Amino acid sequence: MKDRYLPAILFVSLCFLSFGSSFSQVSKSQPNVILIYTDDVGYGDISFAGGKIPTPNIDYLFENGLSFTQAYSTAATCTPSRYSLLTGEYAWRASGRGVARGNASALIKPGRQTLASVFQTAGYRTGVVGKWHLGLGEEDGPDWNGEIKAGPLDIGFDYAFLIPATGDRVPTVFVENRKVVNLDPSDPIQVSYGDKIGNWPTGKENPEFLTTQYSHGHDQTIVNGISRIGYMTGGKSALWRDEDISDRLVAEALGFMEKNEDTPFFLYFSTHDIHVPRIAHERFQEKSGFGPRGDVLLQLDEAVGELTDYLKSSGKWKETIIILSSDNGPVWDDGYVDQAFELIRDHDATRGLRGGKYSAFEAGTRVPFAIIGPQIPAGKLEHRLFSQLDLLASFSAYLGVEMNQETAKDSENHLNVLLGKGGPGRSGLVQEAIQNVLGYVSADGFKYIPPSNGPAMVPWGPKIETGFLERPQLYSLTDSGEWENLAEQMPEKLAEMAQKLEKVINKQ
Ligand code: NG6
Ligand code: CA
């Protein structure tokens, strides 16, 4: 009798052994990690930091977790910040990593180590839900009507549900794993970032069809009453309704978490809010009193609340780390007439920082950043420098996965700072503004912007100071902020800062 079952017992134990070894580094008790990466949310936008639009669910993370006063994205725009976040390398080290077109090819090449692949190597299930904006497909761009390779599945994500670029760029369709969602093959999608394609109306030719007017750029194909950047035609059944984007992303994120109840997961939840076009769901429209920009902030806050509510009701709250941050600073008029300036009232999205999105000044890259989870101190402020670059090295250390020093060359392990255990923190970091202008912030509170002959204001319409000047700029962030240029008063400090920046630029 016993012998008859032996092969079966052997088989089961072998399966168990091999299963055990392929997931050797992960144990069920390891915490899930959710990275909520918001879009264009300024340091002062959340009510925890003085914002006038209530964001109770976001505040909860900042109030009950560790919140950073000096955390930075690497760039003042989306694509380079996201590139650095995932790869641990400053985006400006090579060209072609500026704000990507909607049909750009994949910027992160297949097989490269990323924040996601580190979790994957450690046995986590990894997913990305939301805005991608890092290109898709091979050299000639994505095949919208076929298999979309390369993409997140080739750089460490097990699952992807994407806005391919941004809400204001065509094609306005979702991509799940390698396919456009809901595409009817008899109505193929065509996209062009050059000449007009197809005969769908454009904002420029048919403004009478617009429900939202554009202020600058954004005058090409009209979808859902909103003209976009780029031309498209076809794929009617796959088009999103802007009002539903946030709800859809939340539903997909919850679905991912539910499917991975029994394995630790890493979820990169990359929101469309509060980027333009700011089209909130009807239940938020005109609810904030601050216009569409305020309404989508309310919507973002609800989305965060839905994720945290799920974690609490499913018993996962105590075993999940959540990080919330933003890809760049705030912007008001970013190309649509939505009264963002007119209705700003006493809401200070930068919290007194100078500049905004696109800028070399602090508001371009100093962003909200909070972390909450098991063992992380509650209700503490962290004043050390932290760069989003460092998530890769820090989580590699946390998970015991070897980081590739060559590719993730700018990522530093500051796990202790991240988990609120102190430690020295970063000594300095580089900030990238538009037109490849780089600045440097040092841990002792100084800021350097090298001379540049670019324009003083962002040249295409957002009414934001670039921070560019033909003379060198040196500021004391802890003292007078970016209002008093100390370059002439402190020549030695200026030289030291310039040297530090050069050293990072020239790092081999
Ligand atoms: C700019 C767009 C702006 C926004 C930005 C990218 C124009 C005139 N402006 O070029 O609306 O889409 O790119 O924003 O086209 S980001 O947050 O994704 O970097
Ligand atoms: Ca952005």
Side-chain angles (χ1 to χ4, degrees):
M1 200 55 179
K2 243 182 170 179
D3 290 350
R4 259 184 41 206
Y5 284 100
L6 199 58
I9 292 168
L10 261 175
F11 177 75
V12 170
S13 6
L14 272 175
C15 288
F16 185 76
L17 273 176
S18 63
F19 178 85
S21 68
S22 64
F23 288 87
S24 59
Q25 297 188 55
V26 78
S27 81
K28 242 189 103 175
S29 61
Q30 260 178 306
N32 310 306
V33 176
I34 303 180
L35 171 58
I36 303 177
Y37 207 51
T38 65
D39 204 346
D40 300 356
V41 172
Y43 188 74
D45 266 322
I46 54 180
S47 49
F48 171 81
K52 297 292 189 248
I53 297 138
T55 54
N57 294 300
I58 297 176
D59 291 359
Y60 184 89
L61 308 179
F62 284 75
E63 277 158 8
N64 298 288
L66 180 66
S67 64
F68 287 64
T69 55
Q70 287 224 84
Y72 291 82
S73 62
T74 62
T77 51
C78 165
T79 302
S81 287
R82 284 156 203 262
Y83 181 90
S84 301
L85 172 85
L86 291 183
T87 64
E89 182 201 6
Y90 282 119
W92 45 260
R93 291 204 182 279
S95 60
R97 296 169 182 166
V99 175
R101 293 184 324 270
N103 63 351
S105 58
L107 284 178
I108 305 175
K109 297 297 168 234
R112 176 151 181 180
Q113 188 185 51
T114 63
L115 184 58
S117 74
V118 162
F119 280 98
Q120 196 178 51
T121 305
Y124 277 61
R125 288 280 299 170
T126 54
V128 48
V129 173
K131 172 171 171 174
W132 185 240
H133 210 186
L134 286 166
L136 292 167
E138 308 291 349
E139 294 306 304
D140 49 354
D143 176 3
W144 300 112
N145 303 297
E147 288 264 295
I148 299 174
K149 292 183 191 178
L153 301 194
D154 306 293
I155 53 169
F157 288 101
D158 297 314
Y159 177 73
F161 187 91
L162 308 174
I163 291 172
T166 60
D168 57 348
R169 283 172 175 73
V170 300
T172 54
V173 297
F174 296 117
V175 168
E176 186 173 31
N177 294 326
R178 300 195 189 282
K179 294 264 182 185
V180 169
V181 177
N182 239 348
L183 180 66
D184 173 358
S186 69
D187 179 27
I189 295 175
Q190 286 175 274
V191 170
S192 166
Y193 276 76
D195 295 335
K196 184 180 170 185
I197 205 166
N199 57 7
W200 289 9
T202 64
K204 196 170 180 180
E205 295 160 344
N206 296 95
E208 68 277 17
F209 293 141
L210 295 174
T211 51
T212 295
Q213 306 295 320
Y214 60 91
S215 54
H216 55 265
H218 303 97
D219 61 357
Q220 298 174 340
T221 300
I222 300 175
V223 183
N224 195 26
I226 303 157
S227 48
R228 319 271 168 165
I229 307 172
Y231 299 102
M232 81 173 284
T233 185
K236 270 208 165 124
S237 58
L239 300 175
W240 67 50
R241 204 179 76 100
D242 299 74
E243 292 82 344
D244 298 330
I245 290 178
S246 180
D247 287 344
R248 183 68 191 267
L249 298 184
V250 167
E252 297 300 334
L254 296 180
F256 172 80
M257 292 195 273
E258 273 161 13
K259 275 194 204 92
N260 294 294
E261 295 224 297
D262 301 322
T263 336
F265 61 78
F266 167 66
L267 171 63
Y268 171 41
F269 183 66
S270 170
T271 72
H272 160 64
D273 290 323
I274 58 171
H275 198 277
V276 297
R278 301 175 181 124
I279 311 291
H281 187 268
E282 285 78 358
R283 70 183 180 280
F284 295 107
Q285 289 179 12
E286 294 176 31
K287 288 293 177 321
S288 70
F290 288 80
R293 190 173 186 278
D295 298 344
V296 292
L297 197 52
L298 292 180
Q299 175 166 274
L300 171 69
D301 188 68
E302 188 200 74
V304 172
E306 290 197 39
L307 264 50
T308 51
D309 285 353
Y310 165 77
L311 293 168
K312 286 183 175 167
S313 64
S314 64
K316 287 197 191 24
W317 178 254
K318 288 214 163 77
E319 50 194 60
T320 303
I321 292 174
I322 304 179
I323 296 171
L324 184 140
S325 195
S326 180
D327 65 343
N328 52 251
V331 58
W332 299 270
D333 179 353
D334 207 12
Y336 293 100
V337 180
D338 60 9
Q339 293 191 288
F341 271 119
E342 294 80 351
L343 298 175
I344 194 85
R345 295 167 33 199
D346 55 346
H347 175 79
D348 181 5
T350 73
R351 202 174 197 237
L353 298 176
R354 201 164 169 183
K357 180 175 178 174
Y358 308 114
S359 177
F361 285 135
E362 286 292 282
T365 52
R366 202 198 292 186
V367 287
F369 190 102
I371 179 167
I372 183 168
Q375 326 272 315
I376 295 168
K380 226 180 103 179
L381 284 182
E382 173 59 71
H383 301 293
R384 290 176 183 82
L385 280 188
F386 191 82
S387 168
Q388 291 173 1
L389 279 169
D390 301 333
L391 290 175
L392 203 163
S394 304
F395 276 112
S396 296
Y398 183 76
L399 298 165
V401 172
E402 198 180 332
M403 188 186 80
N404 185 333
Q405 305 273 359
E406 259 170 58
T407 56
K409 62 171 7 172
D410 300 305
S411 188
E412 298 178 5
N413 172 11
H414 293 297
L415 184 62
N416 284 339
V417 175
L418 187 63
L419 300 181
K421 295 183 188 153
R426 258 194 177 259
S427 59
L429 51 81
V430 177
Q431 305 164 306
E432 178 184 356
I434 51 165
Q435 303 184 358
N436 296 320
V437 173
L438 305 180
Y440 188 84
V441 175
S442 60
D444 59 358
F446 283 90
K447 160 86 173 260
Y448 167 64
I449 309 175
S452 100
N453 52 17
M457 301 297 289
V458 176
W460 59 84
K463 302 194 188 82
I464 289 175
E465 289 182 295
T466 57
F468 303 166
L469 194 70
E470 279 166 12
R471 285 172 284 117
Q473 297 172 79
L474 178 71
Y475 297 108
S476 165
L477 298 178
T478 45
D479 193 4
S480 47
E482 291 174 296
W483 304 99
E484 192 189 355
N485 187 357
L486 305 171
E488 279 176 22
Q489 282 170 52
M490 301 180 74
E492 279 168 24
K493 189 72 196 173
L494 180 71
E496 178 199 315
M497 295 288 283
Q499 224 171 34
K500 283 181 171 165
L501 174 60
E502 277 308 300
K503 199 170 159 209
V504 181
I505 292 174
N506 295 325
K507 186 177 174 185
Q508 290 302 315

